[in-house]
Amino acid sequence: MATTETKPGNGKKINLPSAEDLTWSWSPRSERESGDAIVTNFFLHWFPAKISKRSIATSYSFWLGTISAILFLILILTGVILMFFYVPSVERAYQSVKDIEYAISFGRYLRALHRIAAHLMVAVVFLHMVRVFLTGAYKNGLFARQNRPLNWWIGLAMLLSTLLLSFTGYLLPWDQLAYWAITVGTNIAKAAPLVGEQLRFFLLGGHEIGQNTLIRFYVLHCFFIPAFLTMLFLWHMWRIRKDGGLACDDNLALNQKAQDAKPATSKTYSLLGITSGRTAHVEAALVDEDKHQVSSVPNLLKRLLIVGLLTFAVSSLFAVLLGSPLEEAANPFVTPNPAKAPWYFLWLQELVTITTIHIGKFTVNGAFIGGILVPGILLLWGIAQPLLDRSSAAATGVWFHPERKIHNAVFIAVCALVIVLTVVGTYLRGPYWHFFWPWEAWPVHPPRF
């Protein structure tokens, strides 16, 4: 409770906050306090006062979006610490990474945690996209003024930003693995028609990987892409609130036989909703809200804490067990054989190989087909999906709904192809990108100078 003290001098009384004033909103003792906590607490303000049991169930979302956000937070925290020790200079970058790895207290753990969180974030954001697609959560449901297609497009932009964030960080250790992975990746980008050369020049800051490249990747990795991704994340979360929560709530309201209800005098409605006669709560109220909803504080808050701790624990475990590799310093005159792109771009590298066809003296440009055309078509198909999907509102927020059978089948086939190509590129490609089974020994070739 607040305490009152008499201020010396003018004699006026001032109220000083007590410890209970600062902590009560995190552990409310009643539903009334739980609702007040959402309004008064700066950090809890973005939660709804109540949330459906279905949307916080693990079986629907697997908490993949939350895990992605926590991994991003781990990346920011560990990245800021690593910036105190890393030097973005061609002459000193590799040595500064060696200092972090071998000389600085907990440096090896911090670097490994940063690297593992980056790889996990790429995988989890991809899985989150898969979940949203297979549940039809990119479609509008029952609630008024929804715009889930926009949130789906924001999510696609976040997936691409996550890939770029990880890709730009790949070069910073300035070792052989980083140097040649970036070489492969930027060569694929060069195959883009009309803007390919300009795009590669922009990324490299020249025609070859050097100091300009390192500075550009460092600034993109540490400032521009994280800032852009943070903006997209906040927009994404705001849209979820405006769209009425997760898509499973739409299906729940539909099954509850939504009925018109007079606005309660004790509840505040938006001005636009009242003037147009349409609000989400008025048109699609649950028949029995208490049966299906719980207070966000503490129910949602507890689950967030548990998921956050588990994500941090798993990331730390992988960091301790796997560490972070550091090869020899980057050498532009010695090419490793094979030279591979980062694992999340290996499906593109494999696609480039498959679509490169030699017919006599004529060669089909696989870099354009596999590296630009096919992924470009897939991206456009993903963007157009909310417009192509004509399934009913009953298919929104439901895993593998029969009305979306064809859409889901095509999507699963594409995802399976990407995964298979990634596995082939990772484990079954050897020197000169020849195919080898895991039990076959690679031939020994001298290094290429």
Side-chain angles (χ1 to χ4, degrees):
M1 298 294 290
T3 58
T4 303
E5 284 188 358
T6 301
K7 187 177 180 180
N10 56 17
K12 292 183 178 179
K13 293 181 178 180
I14 57 175
N15 291 326
L16 297 178
S18 65
E20 186 180 357
D21 291 330
L22 299 175
T23 60
W24 72 266
S25 58
W26 296 99
S27 56
R29 293 165 298 189
S30 65
E31 286 198 2
R32 173 69 179 273
E33 284 194 357
S34 179
D36 291 343
I38 299 297
V39 178
T40 57
N41 190 302
F42 175 78
F43 295 102
L44 300 178
H45 197 74
W46 67 337
F47 294 154
K50 289 200 170 185
I51 192 167
S52 71
K53 296 177 183 176
R54 184 177 294 187
S55 64
I56 59 174
T58 306
S59 58
Y60 178 71
S61 69
F62 299 102
W63 292 84
L64 293 169
T66 303
I67 295 172
S68 304
I70 292 168
L71 289 170
F72 185 47
L73 181 62
I74 293 175
L75 280 175
I76 291 175
L77 294 177
T78 54
V80 168
I81 297 174
L82 291 174
M83 286 172 66
F84 283 100
F85 305 103
Y86 178 75
V87 181
S89 161
V90 169
E91 292 79 16
R92 299 178 60 188
Y94 181 75
Q95 193 59 47
S96 65
V97 174
K98 284 188 72 175
D99 288 343
I100 293 172
E101 189 73 19
Y102 300 109
I104 296 171
S105 300
F106 302 106
R108 176 176 295 186
Y109 166 74
L110 280 174
R111 179 169 173 261
L113 182 60
H114 190 76
R115 174 178 172 274
I116 291 295
H119 290 312
L120 287 177
M121 186 174 169
V122 171
V124 173
V125 170
F126 173 76
L127 292 175
H128 180 55
M129 180 198 68
V130 172
R131 195 280 296 171
V132 171
F133 191 98
L134 295 180
T135 56
Y138 53 78
K139 287 167 51 62
N140 288 333
L142 292 176
F143 296 163
R145 305 187 189 288
Q146 287 181 325
N147 198 349
R148 288 218 174 93
L150 173 60
N151 218 10
W152 166 255
W153 296 327
I154 295 172
L156 290 178
M158 292 176 72
L159 173 61
L160 296 178
S161 300
T162 301
L163 291 172
L164 277 177
L165 182 63
S166 192
F167 180 67
T168 50
Y170 217 82
L171 181 66
L172 302 190
W174 201 250
D175 61 354
Q176 279 287 77
L177 177 67
Y179 184 92
W180 290 102
I182 299 303
T183 300
V184 173
T186 51
N187 281 338
I188 292 176
K190 189 176 66 174
L194 302 178
V195 298
E197 283 289 351
Q198 291 79 359
L199 178 60
R200 185 172 186 271
F201 188 89
F202 170 77
L203 288 173
L204 299 185
H207 295 288
E208 296 179 351
I209 297 178
Q211 180 61 54
N212 289 343
T213 313
L214 186 58
I215 284 293
R216 290 191 178 208
F217 274 52
Y218 179 74
V219 174
L220 287 171
H221 181 73
C222 297
F223 179 72
F224 282 104
I225 299 177
F228 183 62
L229 192 53
T230 301
M231 185 194 70
L232 290 176
F233 169 73
L234 296 176
W235 194 8
H236 191 65
M237 296 304 298
W238 181 76
R239 280 256 39 108
I240 291 175
R241 287 290 305 276
K242 290 298 178 184
D243 292 340
L246 299 187
C248 59
D249 286 351
D250 292 49
N251 186 264
L252 180 62
L254 183 67
N255 292 331
Q256 288 286 304
K257 298 180 181 177
Q259 59 186 15
D260 291 343
K262 293 183 179 178
T265 55
S266 59
K267 189 175 290 185
T268 301
Y269 295 99
S270 69
L271 179 60
L272 291 176
I274 293 174
T275 54
S276 64
R278 296 164 58 86
T279 70
H281 293 283
V282 171
E283 285 196 343
L286 296 178
V287 173
D288 188 358
E289 290 190 354
D290 292 336
K291 180 181 177 182
H292 300 284
Q293 292 188 329
V294 292
S295 298
S296 294
V297 183
N299 297 285
L300 176 59
L301 191 61
K302 283 181 179 177
R303 284 167 171 78
L304 285 176
L305 291 175
I306 293 172
V307 173
L309 290 174
L310 285 176
T311 303
F312 180 74
V314 171
S315 301
S316 294
L317 181 63
F318 279 129
V320 171
L321 294 179
L322 302 179
S324 185
L326 183 64
E327 296 191 354
E328 296 178 353
N331 188 345
F333 302 104
V334 178
T335 308
N337 193 2
K340 295 188 177 184
W343 67 267
Y344 38 84
F345 286 148
L346 275 177
W347 69 280
L348 289 177
Q349 192 173 358
E350 185 64 26
L351 208 55
V352 169
T353 304
I354 294 173
T355 54
T356 300
I357 302 173
H358 301 281
I359 306 174
K361 294 182 180 179
F362 179 75
T363 300
V364 177
N365 186 359
F368 169 69
I369 297 175
I372 303 297
L373 184 61
V374 175
I377 291 173
L378 291 178
L379 179 60
L380 291 176
W381 176 72
I383 293 173
Q385 192 58 37
L387 309 177
L388 300 174
D389 191 339
R390 300 296 181 182
S391 58
S392 67
T396 301
V398 180
W399 279 95
F400 302 108
H401 196 280
E403 289 187 33
R404 305 186 64 258
K405 188 184 299 181
I406 297 177
H407 294 276
N408 288 338
V410 174
F411 182 76
I412 291 173
V414 171
C415 291
L417 181 62
V418 169
I419 293 172
V420 168
L421 292 177
T422 302
V423 171
V424 171
T426 304
Y427 299 108
L428 304 180
R429 289 296 183 179
Y432 301 108
W433 211 250
H434 291 166
F435 185 90
F436 292 92
W437 291 108
W439 54 85
E440 288 182 305
W442 289 2
V444 178
H445 295 282
R448 292 183 294 179
F449 294 94

